[in-house]
Amino acid sequence: MGKPKSRKRASRAGEISLRSPGLSYRPAPKAAVLLLHCERLPLPELAEKFGTPLYIYSGNAIRHRYREFDRAFHGLPHTVCYSVKANSNLGILRLLSVMGCGFDVVSGGELERVLQVDRKAARKVVFSGVGKTAAEMDAALKAGILLFNIESESELELLAERAERRRITARIALRVNPDVPAETHPYISTGLHRHKFGVPIHDASRLYARAADSLFLEVVGVSVHIGSQITNLAPFTSAMERVADLVRGLREDGHTIRYVDAGGGLGIAYTQIGLPEFADFVGHYAAAISTPLQGLKLHLLLEPGRSIIGPAGALLTRVLYHKNNNSKKFLVVDAAMNDLVRPALYDAYHEIVSVVRDAAAGEHQVFDVVGPVCETGDFFAREREMPPVKDGDLLAILDVGAYGMVLASNYNTRPRPAEVLVDGKKARLIRRREKLSDLFRLEKAKA
Ligand code: LLP
């Protein structure tokens, strides 16, 4: 991958905004350097107070992106159901819930998180996923969720049985697999027949008929999700064209289709790849999705994850050591693949910036930025040009709000980082750092 161009742009005097909303460099008091801030808080202060590695989120950035997303669909009846899997911290869910956001969940655990934050939010919950268990269905029926997205005939049978047993009607959509390639990383592409997701679109009408036969299932919609980190919008339109045809056919068959769930998947700019400003991009996305549905009088459900939260989060890490192996230069930092696995798992690119910017600091150099975990795959950047940094300096890894902390593990018996939500000059600890005792708590050395 080529070296991305700088993402910095000038704003008010002395301040340089990063493309990541909520982050900017501001002059340090009494020093000729700039300090990276999240909203109005200098990151060194956060590192001091909460330690590193540390996940930091900008509350204003999340709110701004949610509003822009919602506004893009203003012409249509719609509900934004934030995809909890992207970042499921209760503090984040609460922030979105008070703004009126709904939720897309894929497990009983995610549902329980939403209920913990606001029991009434269940009315705006859609439940997706290929492997829902009977217990998870029971919990969702009891909570009174808006919609089950059904992914197979066997699941349909089981839900019919659970709903009948509880005498609660389940509103359902079938998640159809439209056989549309999404042009993204193969691990996160989902809309082809060879993927495990959804039911083949040509088989859908038979399954809808089966669902309509069941007293405790109410057929209300069609759902689709073709993948994640999609930046070319054409596949969204192709998928919705197929969905629109299906809706017309199902209505002819006598089904009442009120909802179309368009899934998630809108990509973000991890590098300077020339995406428009978010408001414009999400506007194009809204057009790509809604144009094929014109005239169908539907309520649209949307399941964005990354596009709401991704750019609003950074991972703050401290340089432990410089290390040279022959001509190769490494920066060993205190965060590792267990804290942020995207580079190791998808070879994902994340921009890394220095928290202190000192114009007089000297030449940039090329480094691999790596963590302490005992795997060669434990890297955040390879052959990356970096400003001069010393041991003990702070770096910020950008665009990690989505699929960062949720994918963190305790590999190498490393406690997971703390998470902080920043609002203006206030920082709220929304998850404390794990202690070693937290890691051992469930284990037994002796019988
Ligand atoms: N709805 C469904 C049914 C999904 O499977 C997903 C993501 C979403 C919505 C949200 O998609 P988003 O708007 O965030 O693209 N760990 C990977 C991403 C996995 C996405 C899984 N499904 C990564 O770090 O890139």
Side-chain angles (χ1 to χ4, degrees), residues 13 44 113 211 219 271 404-405:
R113 282 180 178 273
V219 170
T271 64
M405 183 61 176

Side-chain angles (χ1 to χ4, degrees), residues 297-308:
K297 290 206 169 50
L298 287 159
H299 187 111
L300 198 54
L301 301 170
L302 300 140
E303 304 174 357
R306 187 187 324 255
S307 55
I308 302 287

Side-chain angles (χ1 to χ4, degrees), residues 337 340-348 377-379:
M337 66 188 285
L340 172 67
V341 78
R342 300 194 73 256
L345 193 55
Y346 313 111
D347 205 16
D378 180 25
F379 66 90

Side-chain angles (χ1 to χ4, degrees), residues 322 329 363-367 384-388:
H322 282 65
K329 292 190 172 66
E363 297 274 290
H364 283 220
Q365 289 189 349
V366 173
F367 289 102
R384 184 80 60 90
E385 198 174 287
M386 299 283 297

Side-chain angles (χ1 to χ4, degrees), residues 390-440:
K390 300 180 301 301
D391 292 354
D393 282 357
L394 291 168
L395 299 175
I397 307 177
L398 305 186
D399 305 310
V400 299
Y403 308 112
M405 183 61 176
V406 283
L407 283 166
S409 76
N410 296 120
Y411 188 37
N412 280 202
T413 305
R414 290 170 50 88
R416 279 175 291 178
E419 292 176 287
V420 165
L421 181 60
V422 175
D423 260 307
K425 285 193 100 168
K426 282 210 194 87
R428 198 156 60 80
L429 185 65
I430 54 172
R431 183 182 161 106
R432 71 158 169 82
R433 185 174 303 285
E434 280 176 337
K435 299 181 201 137
L436 284 178
S437 56
D438 293 326
L439 273 55
F440 305 153

Side-chain angles (χ1 to χ4, degrees), residues 314-372:
L315 178 59
L316 191 57
T317 181
R318 210 176 270 287
V319 177
L320 295 175
Y321 304 110
H322 282 65
K323 169 168 179 163
N324 292 352
N325 280 358
N326 301 316
S327 61
K328 186 110 183 136
K329 292 190 172 66
F330 295 93
L331 289 179
V332 184
V333 298
D334 67 357
M337 66 188 285
N338 72 294
D339 304 306
L340 172 67
V341 78
R342 300 194 73 256
L345 193 55
Y346 313 111
D347 205 16
Y349 181 97
H350 284 271
E351 188 169 351
I352 304 177
V353 297
S354 179
V355 166
V356 178
R357 265 186 112 198
D358 181 356
E363 297 274 290
H364 283 220
Q365 289 189 349
V366 173
F367 289 102
D368 278 15
V369 182
V370 300

Side-chain angles (χ1 to χ4, degrees), residues 106-111 127 131-141 148:
V106 290
S107 69
E110 287 189 351
L111 173 63
F127 192 176
K132 301 176 195 77
T133 64
E136 288 175 323
M137 289 175 178
D138 288 350
L141 286 166
F148 287 86

Side-chain angles (χ1 to χ4, degrees), residues 28-278:
K30 292 183 251 147
V33 296
L34 294 169
L35 288 186
L36 191 58
H37 284 59
C38 182
E39 303 202 8
R40 290 168 62 201
L41 285 176
L43 296 194
E45 207 173 274
L46 293 176
E48 196 60 43
K49 186 160 177 203
F50 299 105
T52 56
L54 179 69
Y55 274 99
I56 295 162
Y57 309 107
S58 157
N60 278 328
I62 302 167
R63 277 189 281 270
H64 174 75
R65 294 179 78 86
Y66 169 72
R67 272 193 217 104
E68 296 287 11
F69 199 103
D70 194 42
R71 188 174 303 153
F73 288 91
H74 67 94
L76 283 171
H78 70 277
T79 306
V80 178
C81 297
Y82 165 74
S83 192
V84 172
K85 68 174 78 65
N87 186 321
S88 57
N89 185 290
L90 296 178
I92 305 286
L93 300 186
R94 171 147 180 81
L95 179 155
L96 288 164
S97 167
V98 298
M99 296 186 78
C101 189
F103 299 96
D104 154 45
V105 302
V106 290
S107 69
E110 287 189 351
L111 173 63
E112 191 52 37
R113 282 180 178 273
V114 171
L115 298 178
Q116 290 264 323
V117 164
D118 178 7
R119 301 209 86 79
K120 290 203 265 335
R123 279 178 298 167
K124 291 186 178 182
V125 165
V126 299
F127 192 176
S128 315
V130 292
K132 301 176 195 77
T133 64
E136 288 175 323
M137 289 175 178
D138 288 350
L141 286 166
K142 180 161 172 247
I145 65 163
L146 173 64
L147 186 67
F148 287 86
N149 285 327
I150 300 295
E151 302 225 15
S152 65
E153 187 162 4
S154 326
E155 187 193 339
L156 190 69
E157 303 292 347
L158 181 60
L159 182 61
E161 185 197 311
R162 303 312 297 185
E164 181 167 2
R165 187 177 297 205
R166 297 192 80 100
R167 311 247 142 219
I168 299 174
T169 302
R171 281 175 293 272
I172 67 143
L174 284 189
R175 174 169 171 186
V176 294
N177 184 319
D179 204 24
V180 166
E183 296 177 27
T184 185
H185 190 285
Y187 286 12
I188 54 176
S189 172
T190 57
L192 289 177
H193 282 167
R194 64 168 178 272
H195 300 136
K196 69 179 173 185
F197 298 98
V199 299
I201 197 159
H202 54 76
D203 203 20
S205 61
R206 182 181 68 81
L207 293 177
Y208 273 98
R210 159 68 194 92
D213 271 351
S214 171
L215 219 50
F216 287 90
L217 299 182
E218 184 189 357
V219 170
V220 295
V222 176
S223 117
V224 71
H225 169 82
I226 55 172
S228 191
Q229 184 50 23
I230 300 168
T231 51
N232 170 7
L233 304 178
F236 288 116
T237 303
S238 309
M240 294 321 278
E241 282 164 353
R242 292 178 191 195
V243 166
D245 285 343
L246 178 64
V247 169
R248 281 185 274 270
L250 291 172
R251 283 179 172 171
E252 275 166 26
D253 292 347
H255 299 289
T256 309
I257 303 295
R258 289 184 275 144
Y259 294 98
V260 161
D261 182 340
L266 182 63
I268 61 169
Y270 286 100
T271 64
Q272 192 79 33
I273 51 174
L275 290 188
E277 288 287 321
F278 185 58

